Amino acid sequence: MSLTQELKTPTETATETATTVPEDVILPPRDLLSDEPPLETDLHRLQMTLLIQCLEWLWDERDDFYVSGNLTIYYSPRQRKSEEFRGPDFFVVLQTERKPRNSWVVWQEEGKYPNVIVEIISPTTADTDRGLKKQIYQDTFRTPDYFWFDPNTLELKGFHLVDGCYLELEPNQEGWLWSQQLALYLGIYDSKLRWFTAEGQLVPTPTEAAELEKQRAEQECQQKEQAQEQLSQMESLLARYREQFGDLPE
């Protein structure tokens, strides 16, 4: 497809979508399947899964978002599966129903595009992620927060949409980048891209959260055992005192 096709503005897209579809145009089925190739390496797969699992754990009680990765986003104004589609490595759509999907079809989702996109860079996709995709996400998707991360070099860049153009984000003193859309930081921890709360707390994976809960329960149990032991010692001392001197004076 041409770059001109890729870079249509939302207004142009909405106008084209609103026009009557010619009778000879065959519309795709409503339930379009994703058509993305496998992720290139285990690093890419694990990183994508890590971001998804942590956000789903953090927002476990919310039902107003959709998060996925390596899933096709179809956005053809003519509602064709064969043109104008992209498959970000990770993306989040806010103010939508939280449910499984086979793909993200813009014309079936009230015209919604991702609020946040993260691309996991590889040697074969780096130029596209930094160039063409960045321009599409800026000019067509109008995605407010766009990040890319290289799991090999640990390069992390982020951009926020201001007046229709991406402005590069400045990292904080920890090197983290703020996502206004999610009210979370993205930063590197143990050579992986992770979420951090506004207070600077690492958002755990479900496994890490379970381990922390186990440790907390064990600590509470130990504290109760220690308190019980101290109480027993005090009762023993009191009993010995009474044997020698009688009851304590009032």
Side-chain angles (χ1 to χ4, degrees):
M1 75 193 77
S2 68
L3 183 60
T4 301
Q5 286 179 309
E6 295 264 24
L7 302 182
K8 293 173 184 174
T9 66
T11 301
E12 291 170 333
T13 299
T15 301
E16 290 187 35
T17 304
T19 59
T20 302
V21 179
E23 293 183 358
D24 60 344
V25 173
I26 299 175
L27 297 181
R30 288 187 58 82
D31 194 15
L32 296 179
L33 299 177
S34 181
D35 189 25
E36 295 305 307
L39 294 170
E40 294 192 18
T41 67
D42 282 344
L43 277 178
H44 289 71
R45 176 179 56 81
L46 293 171
Q47 179 62 78
M48 179 193 74
T49 303
L50 181 62
L51 292 175
I52 294 173
Q53 287 182 339
C54 290
L55 191 64
E56 287 185 329
W57 177 88
L58 181 67
W59 288 356
D60 181 59
E61 297 183 357
R62 290 179 56 170
D63 59 5
D64 62 345
F65 74 99
Y66 177 70
V67 58
S68 190
N70 199 39
L71 192 84
T72 303
I73 296 175
Y74 295 104
Y75 61 101
S76 166
R78 295 189 290 182
Q79 301 185 10
R80 288 182 173 179
K81 180 181 178 181
S82 59
E83 60 185 23
E84 299 200 83
F85 55 88
R86 287 288 162 183
D89 292 327
F90 171 92
F91 68 92
V92 182
V93 184
L94 301 176
Q95 301 304 314
T96 190
E97 184 179 0
R98 185 178 183 180
K99 65 178 183 179
R101 291 170 170 85
N102 292 324
S103 59
W104 185 267
V105 185
V106 170
W107 60 86
Q108 295 175 9
E109 302 285 355
E110 301 179 349
K112 292 181 180 291
Y113 287 85
N115 294 76
V116 177
I117 290 176
V118 180
E119 293 287 3
I120 313 301
I121 286 181
S122 69
T124 59
T125 66
D127 290 342
T128 301
D129 293 334
R130 296 186 181 111
L132 178 61
K133 282 190 176 181
K134 178 172 175 280
Q135 194 167 6
I136 292 172
Y137 299 155
Q138 171 188 275
D139 298 338
T140 302
F141 282 27
R142 292 288 196 264
T143 293
D145 292 341
Y146 173 49
F147 303 87
W148 69 59
F149 174 66
D150 188 328
N152 294 297
T153 67
L154 304 186
E155 174 191 352
L156 173 61
K157 295 286 185 182
F159 304 86
H160 182 68
L161 197 66
V162 179
D163 296 330
C165 295
Y166 275 144
L167 295 183
E168 186 170 348
L169 296 172
E170 290 293 332
N172 66 3
Q173 60 183 4
E174 287 84 9
W176 305 342
L177 300 177
W178 179 249
S179 169
Q180 293 188 27
Q181 293 291 296
L182 304 184
L184 294 170
Y185 284 106
L186 265 179
I188 299 171
Y189 175 82
D190 194 23
S191 299
K192 298 179 182 64
L193 190 62
R194 300 290 298 266
W195 301 111
F196 297 85
T197 66
E199 296 73 31
Q201 298 296 315
L202 176 70
V203 177
T205 66
T207 300
E208 291 169 343
E211 181 61 29
L212 288 171
E213 179 61 24
K214 178 182 177 182
Q215 293 176 4
R216 185 193 64 78
E218 289 176 348
Q219 289 176 354
E220 286 186 356
C221 184
Q222 290 175 358
Q223 290 172 355
K224 288 180 180 179
E225 290 176 352
Q226 291 172 357
Q228 185 61 44
E229 183 178 353
Q230 291 174 355
L231 179 61
S232 297
Q233 291 175 353
M234 291 177 63
E235 290 176 343
S236 177
L237 289 173
L238 180 59
R240 290 170 56 188
Y241 178 91
R242 284 172 173 164
E243 288 177 359
Q244 297 183 27
F245 306 105
D247 292 336
L248 293 172
E250 295 184 358

